[in-house]
Every structure is written in C-alpha cells, then in structure tokens.
Amino acid sequence: MRKILLGLMTFSLLLTPEVSTAKDLSSTVRGPRASDILADPVEELNQVLDSSYESEPIVVAQRSRKSNSRRRSQGSGSDLINALRLAKQRQYKDASIALFQLSHSPRYRSKSMQIKYILGLMLFQMKMNQVAAFQFIRVVKQGRNKYLKQAIEKLSLAADFLGDDTLLNYAISRVKVSQFPRVHRDMLYFRIGEYQLRNKAYSQAAKSFSRVQSNSSIFPTAKYHEGLAFASANKTKSAIRAFEELIESRSNKGVTDPSRVAALIGRARAAYQAKLWDQAITFYREVPRDTEMWHDTLFESSWAMVRSGRFRSALSNFHSLHSAYYEGFYLPESLLLRSIVYLYICKYEEMDKVLGLFNKIYKSVFVKIDKMLDQRPKPAVYFNEVVRVIRDYKLNGDDMDKGKYQIPFLVVRRILQEGDFQNSYNYIKKLLDERKRIQTMPADWKSSAIGKYSNRVLRTRLVKARERAGRQIRSHLETIKNELFDLFEQEGFIRYEMINGKKELLKKKISEKELPTEQIDEKSSRDYYIQNGFEYWPFRGEYWLDELGNYHYVGTQACN
Amino acid sequence: MYATKICNWIFFLLAVTTVWTSHAETIELPEEELATESVLPVFDKPRGVLNRAVITEGRFEVGGGVGLALNEPFYNPMNFYIEGSYHFTELHGLNIKGLFLMDGLSDYGEQLKTNPNLSPKFDASEAPQPKNIVLASYQLTAFYGKISLTKKSVMNLSLFGLVGAGMVGLNSGTQLPALNVGFGQKFYFSSNLALRLDFRLIGYSGPDPTSQTLDPSDNVTPDEGVFKDEIFFNTYITTGVVFLM
C-alpha cells in the first residue's frame, strides 16, 4: 500500500500544476479579456475578418504620392507660415494636408523635423495615433534635433494608446526618464517595468512598477505587475505583500472591482507558489463568484486541495469544473487530476470514466491541431479562423456547430485568454477604429496626399498585425499540441497505475488479508448537517448556474 | 363527488411521489466550504440550467384532471378534462384542452329552484347551458426552475402562459366560439410525470339564463332562441396529472 501511495505521489507530481507561479493577468487588469473579445459586436468581427482579404496595390499608391508631393512642393515660401497658422488655429485637417506636403518638399528640408513633429501632433489631435506615431518615429530616428524629446514623449503616448509593444519598446529604448514630462512619467515607469518583466529582469521590473504613484490611474495595474514580478522572482512573501497592498487600495471600489479580484487571485497563486496550501485555498475562496476570474480558482484551488490531501473538497470542485457549463473550456489537466484523486481513493470505475472522457475530448483536439499545423498555412489563415469562430459564437452562441472549425472551439477560447494574442487583437481593433475615423473624414482630406498616405499606413499595419496575431496563434497551437502530447503520456501512466491498483485490490481480496481500518479522508463525518440557511439535495444530473461551485462530494473512499 | 375523489387521488399521488424523491443524503461539511455568496458565476453566454432533468422540446404531453369554475352561479362548477400538448421548443408549444362540465345545478342554483321562500322560483337547468369546452392555445413556458418542498429534495417546476380560441358546446348542441387566456404551473415528480395547475379566463357570447323567468312551475322549457345573448367571462381552475411522451 505504501508503495502504491508513493507511486501515486510521483504521478501527481508528473502533472505540472499550471498555478505554480502567479500568472500574467495584465490583460485582465487593463486590456481586453477573453469574454470581452467574445462580446465584441459582430459587425466589428466581420470587419476584422473581411478586411484581411483586402490587398490593394500599394506600389501604385506610393508612386502617386511621390508625384503629388513633388507637384505640390513647388509652392510659395509662405507655405510653412500658413501651415503653422492653421495648426495654431487648431484647424488640424487643413494643417495636416499642408504640413504633409511641406514635409516632402526639398525646399523645407532643413525644417523637415519641425514639420514632421507638428504634423504628428496634428494627427495625434485627430486621434490617428498610428499615423501620428510614424511621424514621431521619423523625428526620433533622425536623432539630433530639438524635437527629439517631445517626439519620444508623444510617441510613447501614441504607442501606449495603441498598445503596440514594438513602438513602445522603440520609444523606451530612446527615452531618459528624467527628461520625460512628470505628468506622463508613471506611464513610462510602467512600460519600462513591463519591458523588464518580459526580459526576465524581475527585481528591476518590480522596482519600476513600484515607482508608479498611488494616485495614478495605472497604479492598480502597476501594483499587480509588481506582485507578479516578485512572484516570478520567487519572492512570494513580497508578492503577497504587493497584492495585499493592491487589495487594500481598492477596498472602497466594490467587491468585484477587476483590480481587486486580480490581486486576490494573484495573492492566492503566490501562496500556492510558496506551498502554503491551506492559505492558498483560503485566498482562492475570497475571489468573488460573480467575476470572470472565479472560474480559474475552481481548478487552481483543486490543485491546492490535492496537495494538502483534501480529496473530497477537490472532487467537489471537479463536479463544478466538469459540468456542462465548462464543456467549451480547455481543461485537460483537470481531468487527469481528477482521475488521480480517484486513484487515491480507489474509485477505479470513476477513474476509468474520467480517463475515457479525457481521451474522447482531447484526442480529437490533438488530431485537429496536428492536422492544421501540418498544413503550414499562412499566419493570416490562423487569425481568420479564430475570428470566424469568435464571430459565429457571437451570432449563434452555444448553438453553433463547434466541430466545423479547423481550430477546435475550446482551443480558440484558450488562445483568447493569452495576453499576447489579446494585445494583438486589441491593437487590430484600434487600427480598425482609426481606419474608420479616416473613412469619416471629408473627401478633400481623404483624397489628399496625407489621406492616401494614412490609408496606406493603416492597411500595411493591419496586414502586419494580423500576421503577427496569426503567428502568435500558431505558436500557442504548437504549445498546446506539445502539452497535450505530454498529458497523453501521463494519462498512460495513470491508466497503468489504475490497472495496478485494481490488481492489488484483487490480490488482497483473494488472500483475505487483514486490512487497515483507518482510510484516507475517513475522518470526514457524513452525519446530518444543514448550515447557514442553505439547503442541500442529491445531484440528479441537472446543472444549475446558481449551484455551480456549491457542489459537495459526499462519497467515501473505497480502498480496503 | 367523483371529481372530489379524483382530486384526493391526485393529492395522494403528489404526496407519495414527494416521499419517493425525498432521499437526500445528510452531510456534514467544513464550515469554510459552505456557500457564502448568492451571486451567480459570470459566463459570456449565461444559461440558467444545463442537462435539464425535464426536456420538453419535441415531445408530446398528455394528461387529465379535474377543475372548478370559480364564478359559475347557477350550474355545477365541477368539471373534468383531458388535454394534449406538443412542445415545439422548450419555450413554445400548442395545448389542446377539452373540458367536460358536470351536470346539475350549483348550490345557489339549487336554492333558486327549490327554496320555498322564493317566489317566483328560478330553474336555471331549463336554460341552455355549457356542456363542454374545447380550446386550442399557444403555450409559452416562461420559466423553468426548481423548488425544494421538503428541504431534502428538489422538484422541477415550470410556469407558462396560454392564449387561444375554441368552442363552447351547449347542451342543446349549439357550438359557440370562445377565447381564452390563462397561465399555469407544472410540478415535475420525475422527468415524465407532473402535476399541472391551470387558471383560465374563458370568454364567449351565449344565452343568458336570467333573460327569462324560468319558473319551474310553468312546466315549459323555453326555446334556445328566446334567450338574450350575453358575453360571459368564466374563470376555470384545473388540476391534473400530465405525462410527457
């Protein structure tokens, strides 16, 4: 028996708990969440999908731009004064037309940085952040000019709005914090922290995040990231402290305040990471049920329960987690964990069913992913497929035919939760918004050189952003494929252990060996008890939304 | 009398079935694991229930029971009925119900006919009276839920609304068009068997017994045509058992 238990412990450790470190919930705190993406208007999703098929002749457009600028640059010397006057009078539209022409005029070559910077400002005011950012980049790239500092600042702001990491990294690499305006310094510290976190400079990242002022609008996000950085550096105590500070700072914002909830779950994860199982369970229970993140606690707290030997409690969680409500969720590890718990309590039949379910669901998922990756489609194909799933889900909900997609629905849902994809998706949405803004501009602006240029910039950025999102999807698919491969291997081990357990049981029965009286989880009494005004009844196969999370496993272990 | 017996039988059945389903485990759970929140989990497409115990979509439902006319002054208010429904979806369905009204007069009708202190007397049985009502109604099941009656078991229930038309058949053989609107509730003992309670308002235009004297001493039954037409709004409450097939 002892040998079996040791063996089982080994197998439970084979499963790498997903919650071993606090997760990057940056997207949960600030960016779009998976549910947000699923809640996007269908028109917008259609736009995301349709516009990816556009491929206008960019080369032709470039030629016309050059010829136009050449023609128009032959104006009088007062052109710049007029353009600046328009800018001062806040006539951004006309100023941008004039400035763009002048920026390409050889007559104003000596003033081109000034013109480009002011043009960038005009576009920035018109909320055309992407096109504006390109002007600022030109100023920054040129280097030695008096507009450099301001251009970096504005570039950071535009990039921050767009959520474009590449632009941000570029801006940050050029900036000196002391030269940056105080009013935007918090944003800069935060972005620097993010950059450091990505590059695994955890202590430095935590320090940068901690510099964000408590009265800043990005303080909650920065504080969360500070905790995350500590957790990544395995400084769990500091992580818990940072999360608790955030919880405290959000105490007057309501129970379901996303920042507070993110801190609650972050604290629980940090406690788990510190192997404080009971504390982690308590922290997980504090996450409010009416929040998106509560779903994660079901599985993560199950791990903590298993680690602390609370098998009955873990099985209670699994009853919710493997209910029909989570059919569209990617949860392969939870099924294996459930089977291990059954193995501990010698419930081999249930175990067999759970392993069967695991194979039934995830073998087909694996096959589909493998097939898609084998076909090596272009990145845009991955992206379009994901958007197609999102759109259909939005239109038809759970009535949609989930089997017809090249990427399985539950995998798409999983990818939507990935921070990098969310950022890309959000960036694409921002670009689409900007393009929409351009489309609503007056005809003279649209037909002007700056109008054509803006369209071209956005079109190119959209194509590139979609490709990047597609590459991210492909990378996640590869990760999932590898993860599933490992899990199938572990499933084989667990199944072997199940057969072994059955064999041992039979052997004992045959030899009529005297058996120990005290069993695992035997201390839990199952006497009459109804507490705190709630009523309990046997589960009859029907799952109710209000019962989710309140199921209690009352079976006993079957080891003899 | 017969109707009362049916009623008793139905209530007996309800009681017995409730006992059958009252086999809840008694459990003791750690305090910290008990529910502390009454809020609902958040899903992007929230659905109240999944894996429903009672599925009605695409199924027929047949049943029968007894009923009572709540505002019937002259005639026996008791009736019995049979009905059948088809559920196109979990929400929408068609219900056809046939009510068979009992013969005789109500207590008040009997008093008006036989009370020696009353003059002239009034025998409503001499007037044409409804004998049966057949109604076809659209049924909208607005709510499907569960209820704990015994604190140890839970039973499913559904609430529905009805609107439709039909015919009221008089004892003279005349058929009169009728409209009805109502609502009802079903308590499911199992996934196939339920107690059904209906409340309906039935409106029709028919002969008004009070438009004639109807003195029993006249020994003359007036012709149906002599009665003036009146619009009646009768309320019926019915209870019975339905089976889902």
Side-chain angles (χ1 to χ4, degrees):
Chain A
M1 187 65 189
R2 201 173 165 186
K3 270 185 185 174
I4 293 173
L5 283 174
L6 284 170
L8 297 181
M9 279 306 289
T10 317
F11 284 116
S12 70
L13 293 171
L14 273 172
L15 285 169
T16 314
E18 279 190 359
V19 288
S20 57
T21 53
K23 286 182 180 175
D24 183 356
L25 273 182
S26 54
S27 52
T28 320
V29 184
R30 47 182 289 279
R33 289 181 293 179
S35 62
D36 294 340
I37 292 174
L38 289 172
D40 281 342
V42 175
E43 298 76 32
E44 201 169 308
L45 294 169
N46 277 331
Q47 202 189 353
V48 173
L49 193 65
D50 296 342
S51 54
S52 66
Y53 298 113
E54 289 174 11
S55 55
E56 290 179 37
I58 294 169
V59 178
V60 174
Q62 280 173 343
R63 276 180 195 150
S64 71
R65 178 181 63 80
K66 280 177 185 169
S67 59
N68 278 347
S69 61
R70 215 174 289 129
R71 208 180 310 127
R72 289 179 193 183
S73 65
Q74 295 162 357
S76 68
S78 61
D79 287 351
L80 181 58
I81 299 166
N82 286 336
L84 293 176
R85 191 179 298 132
L86 286 171
K88 273 187 182 173
Q89 288 168 353
R90 298 187 179 188
Q91 294 183 31
Y92 304 129
K93 179 178 73 77
D94 296 330
S96 62
I97 294 172
L99 286 165
F100 187 76
Q101 284 171 355
L102 297 178
S103 71
H104 289 86
S105 166
R107 289 177 60 197
Y108 295 104
R109 190 164 288 155
S110 60
K111 291 184 183 294
S112 73
M113 288 305 113
Q114 182 195 6
I115 294 170
K116 277 175 183 154
Y117 175 69
I118 298 169
L119 174 62
L121 282 183
M122 297 299 101
L123 295 165
F124 191 68
Q125 291 296 333
M126 291 157 78
K127 293 189 175 139
M128 294 178 188
N129 295 293
Q130 181 64 67
V131 191
F134 271 42
Q135 308 312 311
F136 298 133
I137 282 178
R138 285 183 179 181
V139 179
V140 175
K141 258 189 180 172
Q142 199 267 351
R144 291 174 196 169
N145 65 74
K146 63 176 182 177
Y147 298 97
L148 177 67
K149 211 174 86 179
Q150 293 101 310
I152 289 173
E153 181 208 336
K154 290 287 183 277
L155 175 62
S156 311
L157 295 177
D160 182 52
F161 181 82
L162 288 166
D164 184 351
D165 293 342
T166 319
L167 276 180
L168 269 169
N169 290 346
Y170 180 76
I172 287 166
S173 66
R174 302 253 171 172
V175 78
K176 279 184 183 165
V177 178
S178 57
Q179 290 175 349
F180 208 74
R182 195 167 289 277
V183 67
H184 297 309
R185 216 170 272 178
D186 285 333
M187 185 274 286
L188 189 65
Y189 281 131
F190 175 70
R191 290 300 184 181
I192 290 171
E194 264 194 332
Y195 182 77
Q196 290 163 333
L197 193 60
R198 266 198 299 273
N199 291 299
K200 298 184 178 176
Y202 301 124
S203 301
Q204 289 168 311
K207 206 171 175 183
S208 299
F209 289 128
S210 69
R211 283 184 173 153
V212 175
Q213 300 293 309
S214 59
N215 56 358
S216 165
S217 62
I218 55 168
F219 172 76
T221 320
K223 191 48 94 177
Y224 179 84
H225 278 76
E226 186 188 330
L228 184 64
F230 280 129
S232 304
N234 212 20
K235 294 177 181 172
T236 49
K237 276 186 185 172
S238 304
I240 291 174
R241 203 178 309 121
F243 290 127
E244 279 177 345
E245 277 170 31
L246 179 53
I247 294 164
E248 182 60 35
S249 74
R250 307 295 291 182
S251 57
N252 58 347
K253 300 286 179 188
V255 178
T256 56
D257 171 60
S259 299
R260 179 182 174 272
V261 176
L264 285 171
I265 200 164
R267 183 178 63 169
R269 284 168 179 165
Y272 182 91
Q273 192 180 340
K275 300 184 179 180
L276 304 168
W277 314 126
D278 290 340
Q279 203 177 358
I281 294 166
T282 309
F283 288 158
Y284 275 121
R285 284 206 180 103
E286 287 183 32
V287 176
R289 208 155 68 114
D290 52 343
T291 57
E292 186 79 17
M293 279 171 266
W294 176 79
H295 303 295
D296 293 339
T297 68
L298 273 181
F299 174 55
E300 293 176 17
S301 63
S302 303
W303 257 116
M305 285 161 180
V306 171
R307 287 291 181 94
S308 65
R310 298 189 197 180
F311 301 131
R312 193 199 58 74
S313 306
L315 285 170
S316 301
N317 268 8
F318 288 134
H319 196 82
S320 293
L321 204 56
H322 299 144
S323 70
Y325 280 99
Y326 293 96
E327 264 175 9
F329 288 68
Y330 178 82
L331 300 162
E333 197 184 322
S334 70
L335 284 168
L336 291 191
L337 188 60
R338 185 175 187 169
S339 71
I340 287 173
V341 176
Y342 281 135
L343 189 62
Y344 273 116
I345 60 172
C346 309
K347 294 269 188 185
Y348 299 119
E349 276 184 29
E350 277 87 345
M351 192 181 168
D352 202 16
K353 279 182 206 164
V354 172
L355 291 177
L357 187 66
F358 171 80
N359 281 321
K360 191 181 160 194
I361 298 171
Y362 293 102
K363 269 201 174 144
S364 65
V365 169
F366 180 83
V367 169
K368 269 194 171 183
I369 293 175
D370 192 39
K371 194 178 165 191
M372 181 145 199
L373 289 171
D374 271 357
Q375 287 169 352
R376 296 179 180 277
K378 286 181 179 171
V381 175
Y382 292 105
F383 180 75
N384 291 341
E385 188 66 3
V386 166
V387 175
R388 200 160 71 96
V389 175
I390 300 170
R391 187 193 54 185
D392 290 356
Y393 183 69
K394 177 70 190 163
L395 281 172
N396 306 315
D398 288 298
D399 296 332
M400 69 191 264
D401 177 11
K402 290 176 183 162
K404 71 175 181 181
Y405 305 101
Q406 285 179 284
I407 305 175
F409 176 78
L410 39 80
V411 172
V412 170
R413 195 192 276 272
R414 157 79 185 265
I415 290 170
L416 295 185
Q417 289 173 334
E418 298 292 346
D420 60 347
F421 178 76
Q422 285 185 2
N423 286 342
S424 296
Y425 190 82
N426 199 31
Y427 175 55
I428 291 168
K429 275 167 56 180
K430 293 263 171 70
L431 290 179
L432 288 170
D433 286 345
E434 195 166 327
R435 196 174 67 171
K436 217 180 279 176
R437 217 166 285 129
I438 287 173
Q439 282 161 0
T440 57
M441 290 294 283
D444 62 328
W445 192 90
K446 279 194 280 186
S447 60
S448 70
I450 181 68
K452 286 174 184 169
Y453 166 80
S454 304
N455 253 322
R456 198 167 54 247
V457 164
L458 286 176
R459 199 181 308 125
T460 313
R461 290 308 303 157
L462 272 169
V463 169
K464 288 195 186 284
R466 284 196 190 96
E467 278 175 1
R468 188 170 75 154
R471 281 195 299 274
Q472 286 165 343
I473 294 167
R474 185 172 58 202
S475 162
H476 289 305
L477 287 179
E478 278 163 0
T479 309
I480 289 169
K481 185 188 153 189
N482 292 336
E483 184 184 287
L484 281 177
F485 188 82
D486 285 348
L487 291 175
F488 282 122
E489 209 170 58
Q490 288 173 31
E491 187 265 345
F493 286 129
I494 295 165
R495 198 174 276 279
Y496 167 78
E497 204 60 36
M498 177 185 76
I499 295 163
N500 206 30
K502 278 184 179 174
K503 193 179 79 184
E504 288 292 324
L505 203 69
L506 277 172
K507 267 188 191 172
K508 279 172 193 169
K509 271 186 186 171
I510 292 164
S511 63
E512 290 178 352
K513 201 175 173 181
E514 203 172 303
L515 300 164
T517 49
E518 193 174 336
Q519 307 292 339
I520 300 164
D521 213 19
E522 191 77 330
K523 284 172 188 168
S524 299
S525 161
R526 286 168 180 78
D527 296 334
Y528 170 84
Y529 208 50
I530 292 176
Q531 290 156 283
N532 73 349
F534 284 85
E535 291 165 12
Y536 295 89
W537 46 78
F539 175 72
R540 295 187 304 160
E542 194 175 59
Y543 290 102
W544 288 86
L545 190 58
D546 58 344
E547 290 174 353
L548 218 55
N550 289 325
Y551 294 112
H552 295 282
Y553 183 81
V554 291
T556 52
Q557 58 82 40
C559 301
N560 292 314
Chain B
M1 195 64 178
Y2 177 70
T4 316
K5 273 184 183 174
I6 291 175
C7 266
N8 288 340
W9 184 81
I10 288 168
F11 284 116
F12 171 75
L13 190 68
L14 171 65
V16 168
T17 320
T18 310
V19 171
W20 282 342
T21 56
S22 305
H23 50 77
E25 295 286 335
T26 52
I27 52 172
E28 183 175 358
L29 301 164
E31 186 77 38
E32 71 274 9
E33 281 188 24
L34 296 176
T36 53
E37 294 179 298
S38 55
V39 289
L40 298 177
V42 177
F43 285 91
D44 38 55
K45 300 271 181 190
R47 287 165 295 170
V49 60
L50 291 174
N51 279 15
R52 283 170 58 135
V54 181
I55 295 167
T56 56
E57 184 173 342
R59 294 176 79 183
F60 285 98
E61 182 185 301
V62 292
V66 295
L68 190 72
L70 298 177
N71 61 345
E72 175 53 61
F74 304 127
Y75 305 109
N76 188 344
M78 302 301 292
N79 61 65
F80 64 95
Y81 73 90
I82 55 168
E83 69 179 342
S85 306
Y86 180 73
H87 299 274
F88 301 107
T89 66
E90 296 293 353
L91 279 179
H92 309 289
L94 176 72
N95 171 266
I96 295 173
K97 186 166 194 160
L99 287 160
F100 304 98
L101 312 181
M102 297 289 200
D103 288 333
L105 296 172
S106 67
D107 288 347
Y108 293 115
E110 207 60 55
Q111 283 174 35
L112 289 169
K113 182 182 172 185
T114 57
N115 192 335
N117 302 323
L118 199 68
S119 180
K121 293 187 173 56
F122 181 78
D123 184 7
S125 63
E126 289 181 10
Q129 56 194 271
K131 277 301 290 176
N132 54 64
I133 304 169
V134 179
L135 300 165
S137 307
Y138 162 71
Q139 182 175 306
L140 175 76
T141 305
F143 172 78
Y144 172 79
K146 61 185 187 301
I147 187 170
S148 171
L149 293 175
T150 65
K151 291 200 171 186
K152 287 181 181 177
S153 70
V154 64
M155 69 194 302
N156 295 106
L157 56 88
S158 65
L159 186 68
F160 52 86
L162 297 148
V163 62
M167 303 297 283
V168 173
L170 303 182
N171 57 355
S172 60
T174 307
Q175 295 288 327
L176 303 169
L179 294 172
N180 87 104
V181 61
F183 63 91
Q185 189 145 25
K186 280 184 276 187
F187 296 92
Y188 288 94
F189 306 126
S190 71
S191 56
N192 299 316
L193 177 70
L195 171 75
R196 177 173 171 138
L197 303 168
D198 273 31
F199 175 85
R200 296 204 196 208
L201 177 69
I202 301 173
Y204 68 95
S205 175
D208 177 15
T210 59
S211 62
Q212 296 295 316
T213 52
L214 302 180
D215 191 338
S217 60
D218 290 349
N219 290 326
V220 178
T221 304
D223 187 64
E224 188 181 329
V226 302
F227 290 92
K228 282 183 185 168
D229 275 352
E230 174 74 25
I231 294 174
F232 294 93
F233 291 103
N234 289 347
T235 50
Y236 291 87
I237 187 163
T238 59
T239 178
V241 177
V242 288
F243 299 92
L244 272 164
M245 297 192 297

